[in-house]
Amino acid sequence: MVRPFPLPGKQLTYVYEELDMAATAARGPAPRPDALYRPWDPPSCTDPVVRAELWTWLDAVADWLNTEYTWNADAMIPTCWPHHPHMVHELAVLADQRYTAGLAYTSVPLEEWHRYALPAFINRMTERIRSHCTEHHDDWPGKPRHTRARVETPDRLRRFGQDIASINGEHVDHDTGELLDPITATEHAWKSLCP
């Protein structure tokens, strides 16, 4: 009548055991937090075998969600989800929360997953995807704006540097980047306030 939640593979199961031991410090001092993989944060899984298992597991979770929890086709996770970084990040968190809720000794974490995590994920996904990717994968509509933002990175970095210089008591002409003495800086500030 219902399919079981897909379990992570052997390596991911080991990762979860390591995380559980670190959380409970059952084997002495916990390892450095940055030394542990976190399946809910895919970039942290830098071992190729672990990463491959993570992708396989997340794909199985997406299929499971589409089969077990989706009645309305608008709420289905599109098959092109790996092309959408926001969905990759969110699906990983949702899968982790469902997995850990399923291991709990009471139904409370699973009820919270049903009540909060799953509906919030579906709402954010449908809002972000909207009518894109219903029949085929659409390119990211924000790509032109993002490209422009990258082109303008040097200007932002220059402005950040000017701001930091002004904190250090240096006065900077924000149009030219020129360092000003305090008197000239005051005059410049008044001119910009009173054109």
Side-chain angles (χ1 to χ4, degrees), residues 61-112:
V61 169
D63 179 66
W64 181 80
L65 288 167
N66 284 342
T67 305
E68 299 295 310
Y69 283 92
T70 306
W71 181 257
N72 183 349
D74 293 342
M76 289 184 76
I77 298 170
T79 57
C80 61
W81 66 265
H83 292 275
H84 301 280
H86 61 91
M87 291 202 49
V88 172
H89 290 292
E90 292 214 36
L91 182 58
V93 171
L94 189 69
D96 169 75
Q97 289 180 347
R98 174 57 181 84
Y99 175 66
T100 56
L103 297 175
Y105 290 107
T106 70
S107 64
V108 173
L110 196 53
E111 164 60 18
E112 290 177 356

Side-chain angles (χ1 to χ4, degrees), residues 13-31 36:
T13 300
Y14 178 74
V15 166
Y16 273 107
E17 289 169 358
E18 289 286 303
L19 288 164
D20 188 49
M21 283 190 262
T24 58
R27 60 177 182 174
L36 297 173

